[in-house]
Structures are given as C-alpha cells and as structure tokens.
Amino acid sequence: MDKQVVGILGGGQLGRMFIEAANRMNVTVRVLDPTSLSPAKQISSFAEHIDEPFTSSTAIQELAKGCDVLTVEIEHVNCDELEKIEQQGLALVRPSSSTIRMIQDKYLQKEYLARFDLPLPEYTQCDTLDEAKQAGRAFGFPFVLKSRLGAYDGRGNYVVKSEADVETGFKLLGGKMQYAEKFVPFVKELAVMVVRRPGGEVATYPVVETIQRDNICELVYAPAQIDGEVRNIAMKVATDAVSCLPDGSVGIFGVEMFLHNDGKTVLVNEIAPRPHNSGHYTIEACNTSQYENHLRAVLDLPLGDTNLKVPAAAMINVLGGVSGYSSVLEPCLASLEVPGATVHLYGKTEAKAGRKMGHITVVADCFLQLGRRVDLIAGRLANASDEERSRLQYRDSAAPAADGSASDVEKKDVSEMAPLVGIIMGSDSDLPTMRPAAQILEQFGVP
C-alpha cells in the first residue's frame, strides 16, 4: 500500500503487533533488536533485520540507510544518533529525537509539561540524599522516589513510607538521577491513546481505566466508568499533553493520568512516545487499532476512526509465574471458552515471573457481561488476587435459578455495577407501574 520502508527500534511485543498491522497494509518493516528471534522478528518475512542493540550508533545508522522512516517501540534508545540521522536527512524520525529525549528523562518530561501548565503532581529534583530527605519534609509521607532514566513497569519507583525509609529508597534506585513526587491520593488511574499526524491532525481514543498490581498493569477497562465531565477533562488533558510536544511530534502516544480523590482533578503521570499497554484493547475493540494508526501517522496517511465498535472491552495482561509456561497457558486456555475473548501470545522464549508474555482482550455487550467474562479468566492468572480467585469460584458455582431469575452472584453484580438504565418517576403515583419494570430489569441482570 505504501512503498516506504519503516524501521523500528525495538523488537518486543509492541513491535510484533505493529508488524501485524503493517502486514495487512503490505508495508515493509525492518527491525533493530539484539535478539534474532525477538517477538517482532518472528512474524516478519523481511530478511534484513539487524541483530544489534537499539542503542548502537552503527546499527541505527545501518537501519536508517535501508529505511525511509524510523520509529520506536521502546523509548530507551540512542537519541544522539537519531538526532544525527535527522540532521543528515538519512530518514524521517517519528516521533522526533527531541521528543523521545525529553520523555526518556522523566524529570525533564515533568519540567517540559509544566511549562505548558499541564496539571501535574508536585515534584522536585533529588540529586542527593539530603535533597530526598528535604522532599519528604516538604511533601510528607508517603511520597514517591523515581529514577529519571530507564524506568518501566514500576521498576525505578520506590514509595517512601517514613523518614527512616528515605535512605533505603535512594540507594535502591542507584543514589543518583532521581526526583521526588508527592503521593497522589487517586481513586482511579486513567489513560488515553492520542495519535498525531504531520500537519497537526490529532485523534484520541476513549478514556480507559488501568488496574495495576505490583506496579504492572493487570487490567484495562474501556471505556472508563467515569462521569462525562471527568471524561472530557481527561480527554482534554491528554490531547493538550501531546499537542505541546516539541517539533510537532508524530505517532501514537500513551498518556497516563491520575483521577484525584476529589473526583474532578486529573493529573498527568507520564507519557509514552509509542504504542502502549493501555491501548492493546484497540485491536479488537476499536475501528482502527493503535498500531495501525501509529503506522498511518508515521507514513502521513489519513488517520483511522478511533471509536469503540463494541459497548465494553477489557484487556488482561498475562504474566509469567512460578510455574513457568503453565502459568501463562492456564488463563489462555480458559479464555478459549469465554465468548468475546481473543488471545495474543508474544512468542517469548522464557516465562520469567512478572514478565509480560501475552494479553487477552474481552469484548461484551455491557459492563455487567464484561465483568462476568473477565472473572472467568482473571481468576486463573499467575498473579491473581484472592478476590479474583474467589470471584472465579463464584462464577463456577453459580447456577441459574429455576424460575430463570438472576442468581445471587448476578444480583450482587447488578448492585455493584454502574447502572445502564435509569428510572425516573414524576410522582409516587408512578410507582405501581415502575416497580414491575425495575423487577424485570433485575430478573434479566440489567443494572
């Protein structure tokens, strides 16, 4: 469809799903990754991949010579070399080296966004242990120490619970290149994928809620169950954050945010300059996936429709566990019996505990149905919580009542779900008519 060759720095699962989208559009993608059988290289028929680190200057130059456009599936790349390629005109770099460089350093990212008055948690630089201790006195406890460089999936973060804990956290994170952030009392973690084309055209995906466990994303729910005002605030914050990036940066960006416990304030946590875990659901649930839209953006093709094509969707991360591959396969096999579930396995050769080995997308007609389907899978995850395992047991043991009415488990679900139907009475005289209507809704499990 497009004769340009796209080079991608990094060959992990994000690169794999990017190549799946490129294959459908007959676009050639060349991968730079040190592993010869990385997840991305496994599914590409292109023979001229490069088996070198994506930080190698010579390897990046070699990649650029065989490509028209360079992009990334990981931000921990050699920005100095990407900048040289831009200056030499060897290839287009999307997003730009200046954007990737700024986002790489999480403290500089905060400083940059603050210049544009984006809502952020309070933060301060901590180059020394004394500065970290001062941050604790200023912010109170708990507060969060964060590494400026190289952090991902919670690695590089340390929650400081007391003054006696400051030194431990500071040393654990390497004793340098850190910053402190005031702890945000949030009620939900939100995310929005934003795609930007050359020329400034921007499209946004729905606001989603992300559920973290042990600092790794476990679940994503789309759309987030928030009121319309908060949704609009989150969409604006995410769009503003991407629109202000340097050099009119191009591609897909994941904007992670906190919803403060005041119920209205939305704060930017961080930005990813690439496809993101919180956007995996878009492959099955949206008219155009984040991967296809990233491809469209970097090739300057018209952006695709970002709307949901199903009422409700969830993404479940499948991690390695103590049982190795059996920890991965158990939830995947269970999902094959769940309507609306789709398995994505990344082809990684070693199922280390906590390693992202795949994900499962679940789609449904409503959130009540979605919750039931997710429970059948989440309770079998290697890192499942006691609550998720107990919900699985409830699902397995729940049988429909003889009269066809909702089971006790279903009734409990209805009481806990955001309503789908509202009943409004003009006066008490409407109650005799409206009561049986409500009873019918309960009978069919409609919240």
Side-chain angles (χ1 to χ4, degrees), residues 286-300:
C286 293
N287 290 314
T288 312
S289 78
Q290 65 164 339
Y291 299 98
E292 182 177 328
N293 255 338
H294 183 58
L295 182 66
R296 292 187 186 207
V298 300
L299 293 178
D300 198 13

Side-chain angles (χ1 to χ4, degrees), residues 225 365-369 417-422 445-447:
Q225 295 296 279
D365 294 328
C366 67
F367 261 83
L368 179 64
Q369 185 186 66
M417 289 302 299
L420 293 175
V421 176
V446 178

Side-chain angles (χ1 to χ4, degrees), residues 47-187:
E48 298 181 22
H49 298 306
I50 302 173
D51 299 340
E52 296 287 344
F54 37 76
T55 53
S56 164
S57 295
T58 55
I60 293 173
Q61 283 282 338
E62 183 185 347
L63 180 71
K65 288 174 184 176
C67 298
D68 301 286
V69 182
L70 297 187
T71 190
V72 298
E73 66 111 53
I74 185 169
E75 55 265 44
H76 309 306
V77 296
N78 186 335
C79 289
D80 291 339
E81 203 58 46
L82 290 176
E83 185 178 8
K84 287 180 188 176
I85 287 165
E86 288 171 324
Q87 293 168 348
Q88 295 164 355
L90 281 179
L92 297 169
V93 179
R94 293 173 169 167
S96 66
S97 63
S98 57
T99 291
I100 299 169
R101 189 192 305 277
M102 178 269 292
I103 288 177
Q104 275 181 342
D105 187 324
K106 293 189 176 183
Y107 176 74
L108 292 183
Q109 183 184 146
K110 288 284 194 297
E111 290 280 87
Y112 184 88
L113 295 175
R115 284 166 43 195
F116 293 88
D117 297 322
L118 271 296
L120 302 166
E122 292 183 56
Y123 66 95
T124 185
Q125 191 170 348
C126 294
D127 287 329
T128 66
L129 178 58
D130 284 341
E131 288 178 337
K133 290 178 178 178
Q134 290 171 17
R137 289 190 286 270
F139 294 155
F141 298 94
F143 76 95
V144 186
L145 273 177
K146 295 187 174 184
S147 297
R148 291 175 60 169
L149 298 173
Y152 68 99
D153 283 347
R155 297 171 178 85
N157 294 351
Y158 186 88
V159 178
V160 181
K161 297 176 182 177
S162 67
E163 189 165 359
D165 203 23
V166 176
E167 186 170 355
T168 301
F170 191 77
K171 289 180 177 178
L172 191 67
L173 297 183
K176 60 181 180 179
M177 290 292 288
Q178 298 175 34
Y179 72 102
E181 200 168 87
K182 187 173 182 178
F183 191 83
V184 178
F186 62 89
V187 291

Side-chain angles (χ1 to χ4, degrees), residues 262-282:
D262 65 10
K264 298 296 179 187
T265 304
V266 175
L267 303 172
V268 176
N269 179 21
E270 59 185 56
I271 301 175
R274 52 170 170 76
H276 193 257
N277 203 170
S278 64
H280 289 345
Y281 76 96
T282 61

